[in-house]
Amino acid sequence: MQILQTNRAVLSRLLPGAKPEDLIVRQGQFHQVVIGADRVVCLPRTEAAAARLPHRAAVLRLLAGFDCGFRTPQPLLEGSTHGTDELPFLVLSRVPGAPLEAEALEDPQMAEAAATQYVTLLTELARIGAEEKVRAALPAPQDRWRQFAADVRAELFGLMSDGGRQRAERELAALDSLPHITDAVVHGDLGAENVLWEWSDGLPVLSGVIDWDEVTIGDPAEDLAAVDASYGTHLLNRVLTLGGWSDSTMTTRIAIIRTTFALQQALSAQRDGDEEQLRDGLTGYR
């Protein structure tokens, strides 16, 4: 809770009337997040993350213009990152709900409800990914995975053990087989902690999706890989079946992309100068 003491003045202004004991603090890869009753304050962990706040706000405003059937955070207030001594911040509306615990999906009825709604979520991301203004606003990098592999070799291999480099090389070599796909909006970090649920008649109901920092136009296999990482292959296979996506090429792409998650974290952390996230991402490579 050190963040509440260090940033007491700005938090008192941005979350008026909130008592420290009622606030929830979360630490993500790019931001420290202070959650109030109806607002969320994002405090960037690095200067690089602070510089990205205006783009993050613009993307959230863009997403808010679509009726996707689930909530996204809406920007309420931004702090200046240039020309002032004020701590940079972004205040967002709070999306109600909580992450769905994996244990809940041991109940077949709950697992079926969640899988059905994941299909709806991914279908909506594909739908808005076809919108011209969305494609104009979001990156769709050419040769994304090949460039990622080259960047990892150049920027991270020197930080790895010999065994770590061999492991990474095997994972990166598989990326050469991935096609360039730009079919959908890809959240980029669709792990369980970023998908929020409420409950109705004992079943989970998708409430909203948060943390859109890494959103792009790309391959929906990336978001499906995050579902797999969070909940396992049983739920993933049900999502693939319900969505009509269970062809072998999709499952192969999911498996390849999933192996890159730790390296993606480490590369972002290296570029942001975030030593804590870098250590975590490279744990299996040192």
Side-chain angles (χ1 to χ4, degrees), residues 15 33-36 38-42 90-95:
L15 298 169
V33 180
V34 181
I35 305 172
D38 58 1
R39 291 182 165 198
V40 174
V41 179
C42 299
L90 178 62
V91 181
L92 304 172
S93 61
R94 179 176 180 177
V95 175

Side-chain angles (χ1 to χ4, degrees), residues 75-142:
L76 303 176
L77 187 64
E78 298 174 57
S80 173
T81 59
H82 301 288
T84 75
D85 293 330
E86 185 174 56
L87 180 73
F89 62 82
L90 178 62
V91 181
L92 304 172
S93 61
R94 179 176 180 177
V95 175
L100 186 61
E101 298 294 334
E103 291 76 10
L105 301 182
E106 294 174 2
D107 182 310
Q109 191 175 11
M110 292 187 186
E112 187 72 5
T116 299
Q117 290 172 86
Y118 264 113
V119 170
T120 300
L121 165 60
L122 292 162
T123 300
E124 285 300 302
L125 292 181
R127 178 183 68 84
I128 66 173
E131 295 284 341
E132 184 176 345
K133 63 181 179 180
V134 173
R135 299 184 74 85
L138 297 181
Q142 293 286 334

Side-chain angles (χ1 to χ4, degrees), residues 140-162:
Q142 293 286 334
D143 294 325
R144 176 188 173 189
W145 296 111
R146 291 175 181 83
Q147 185 60 55
F148 169 76
D151 292 344
V152 168
R153 293 181 180 108
E155 300 179 44
L156 296 181
F157 268 28
L159 305 175
M160 298 178 184
S161 66
D162 289 342

Side-chain angles (χ1 to χ4, degrees), residues 118 121-122 186-195 214 219-233 235-236 239 253-261 264:
Y118 264 113
L121 165 60
L122 292 162
V186 173
H187 179 278
D189 190 12
L190 203 66
E193 68 279 4
N194 290 329
V195 183
E214 299 182 80
D219 185 351
E222 186 171 354
D223 283 341
L224 286 161
V227 175
D228 185 20
S230 292
Y231 293 115
T233 55
L235 182 70
L236 172 67
V239 171
R253 300 199 315 270
I254 290 169
I256 291 172
I257 292 170
R258 181 177 171 180
T259 66
T260 69
F261 284 171
Q264 288 187 51

Side-chain angles (χ1 to χ4, degrees), residues 187-258:
H187 179 278
D189 190 12
L190 203 66
E193 68 279 4
N194 290 329
V195 183
L196 305 184
W197 305 77
E198 297 179 306
W199 293 86
S200 177
D201 297 326
L203 292 175
V205 177
L206 178 65
S207 173
V209 180
I210 60 174
D211 194 358
W212 292 83
D213 282 15
E214 299 182 80
V215 61
T216 62
I217 298 291
D219 185 351
E222 186 171 354
D223 283 341
L224 286 161
V227 175
D228 185 20
S230 292
Y231 293 115
T233 55
H234 182 75
L235 182 70
L236 172 67
N237 289 339
R238 192 60 187 146
V239 171
L240 293 175
T241 298
L242 291 172
W245 305 316
S246 53
D247 61 277
S248 60
T249 59
M250 174 67 87
T251 55
T252 298
R253 300 199 315 270
I254 290 169
I256 291 172
I257 292 170
R258 181 177 171 180

